Each structure stands twice: as structure tokens, then as C-alpha cells.
């Protein structure tokens, strides 16, 4: 399995609580005006990495993990596999997405990773709602949705 990775930030404190390893994935179609990372929109950007390469970095750093981008939910199958492995290694997983939780729950495809996430920061960045005082979010429409995310699934 291959992942398109733009960057890995080790020991960050801005993408969730505590020290974290933040992995930024390539690809986003939300194209939010004022996006702080428009270079992440290119699905062919970054470097290809395997699941094992990503896990090696995560295990070496030994921090909880944040999945961002781009938007990781444009690759829900791959992200579900990665998030499951991260949780199995004893780390909490946060995910940033431009999709809302309502859109995610309405889609069997987008909701694949939910069982393996401890929190989602949802919603597109809206420049007119920018609030630099909000912890872990860029605009006031974005929500931090905490566990248990899998309990929100209505499917058996």
C-alpha cells in the first residue's frame, strides 16, 4: 500500500493535544479560499511512502498522530488501514478534513476510518470565520468531534 505524503512534522503541538507526529497527505478538492496549505491540493504531490515506512516514523517518534493534508478522507480505505495500525501501536489518532461529520456519516466510503479515529476536526476552512484564538482549528465553523466516533455509525 502506498501513500502520497507531503510532509511529516515530528513533535508538533498545533495539530492536536500534546506532542504529536503530523502526517500531511497530498490531495484535496475543497479548494478553500485562504487555505494555509494550497500546495497540498495536488494529488500527485509529495513522496510515495509505504505503510511500513509511515509506521517506522510513528514508532520512532512515539507520539500520538494527526492525519491532515490535503484531505486524508480522499483516501478513506488507505487511511482506515493506517489509523487502525496506529491505534494498535498504542497511539491516539486525530484527523483533519474539509468534510463535515454529517457528510462523512452519510457516506459508507468516507466513514471507513471512523472506527480508528479518536477525534475529527471537521469542516472546510472559511476565511471569513477565521479565528486565531481557537485551539486546533482555523475557522469557527470547524468542530473538534471526539470519540467514540464509531458509535455514530448507523450501519450494523
Amino acid at each position: 500500500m502506498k501513500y502520497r505524503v507531503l510532509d511529516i512534522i515530528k513533535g508538533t503541538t498545533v495539530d492536536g493535544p500534546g506532542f504529536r507526529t503530523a502526517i500531511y497527505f497530498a490531495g484535496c478538492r475543497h479548494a478553500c479560499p485562504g487555505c494555509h496549505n494550497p500546495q497540498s491540493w495536488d494529488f500527485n504531490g509529495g513522496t510515495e511512502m509505504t505503510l511500513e515506512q509511515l509506521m517506522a516514523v510513528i514508532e520512532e517518534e512515539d507520539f500520538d498522530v494527526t492525519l491532515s493534508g490535503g484531505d486524508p478522507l480522499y483516501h478513506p480505505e488507505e487511511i482506515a488501514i493506517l489509523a487502525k495500525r496506529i491505534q494498535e501501536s498504542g497511539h491516539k489518532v486525530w484527523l483533519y478534513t474539509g468534510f463535515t461529520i454529517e457528510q462523512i456519516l452519510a457516506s459508507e466510503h468516507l466513514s471507513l476510518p471512523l472506527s480508528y479515529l479518536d477525534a475529527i476536526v471537521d469542516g472546510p476552512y472559511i476565511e471569513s470565520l477565521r479565528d486565531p484564538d481557537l485551539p486546533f482549528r482555523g475557522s469557527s465553523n470547524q468542530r473538534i468531534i471526539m470519540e467514540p466516533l464509531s458509535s455514530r455509525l448507523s450501519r450494523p
Side-chain angles (χ1 to χ4, degrees):
M1 175 151 310
K2 302 279 186 177
Y3 296 83
R4 298 292 306 181
V5 177
L6 294 169
D7 202 0
I8 298 176
I9 307 296
K10 302 170 183 175
T12 182
T13 58
V14 298
D15 295 317
F19 287 98
R20 311 184 73 75
T21 299
I23 304 170
Y24 292 84
F25 295 95
C28 186
R29 291 189 188 99
H30 300 296
C32 301
C35 174
H36 78 285
N37 201 8
Q39 65 275 18
S40 70
W41 299 353
D42 182 1
F43 283 83
N44 296 311
T47 305
E48 260 192 9
M49 293 182 74
T50 66
L51 176 63
E52 295 311 319
Q53 288 171 317
L54 287 172
M55 289 307 300
V57 171
I58 291 164
E59 289 166 4
E60 176 185 331
E61 293 304 308
D62 202 28
F63 297 132
D64 288 336
V65 178
T66 296
L67 309 176
S68 192
D71 191 328
L73 287 187
Y74 280 107
H75 315 281
E77 298 92 351
E78 294 89 345
I79 294 302
I81 291 166
L82 175 61
K84 181 178 186 220
R85 284 283 300 275
I86 294 168
Q87 278 197 339
E88 289 171 350
S89 73
H91 299 288
K92 296 203 177 295
V93 183
W94 276 40
L95 182 138
Y96 281 75
T97 180
F99 294 102
T100 64
I101 191 67
E102 292 81 10
Q103 290 171 308
I104 296 165
L105 292 171
S107 168
E108 190 171 337
H109 188 66
L110 288 176
S111 62
L112 288 172
L114 281 188
S115 297
Y116 312 109
L117 301 174
D118 297 287
I120 290 179
V121 180
D122 83 329
Y125 172 73
I126 298 176
E127 198 167 20
S128 64
L129 299 177
R130 179 180 183 272
D131 185 344
D133 295 325
L134 289 172
F136 313 127
R137 295 167 286 165
S139 57
S140 61
N141 64 296
Q142 295 172 314
R143 300 170 288 185
I144 299 173
I145 301 164
M146 304 295 285
E147 62 184 323
L149 294 169
S150 59
S151 68
R152 293 174 171 255
L153 296 172
S154 59
R155 295 178 303 281

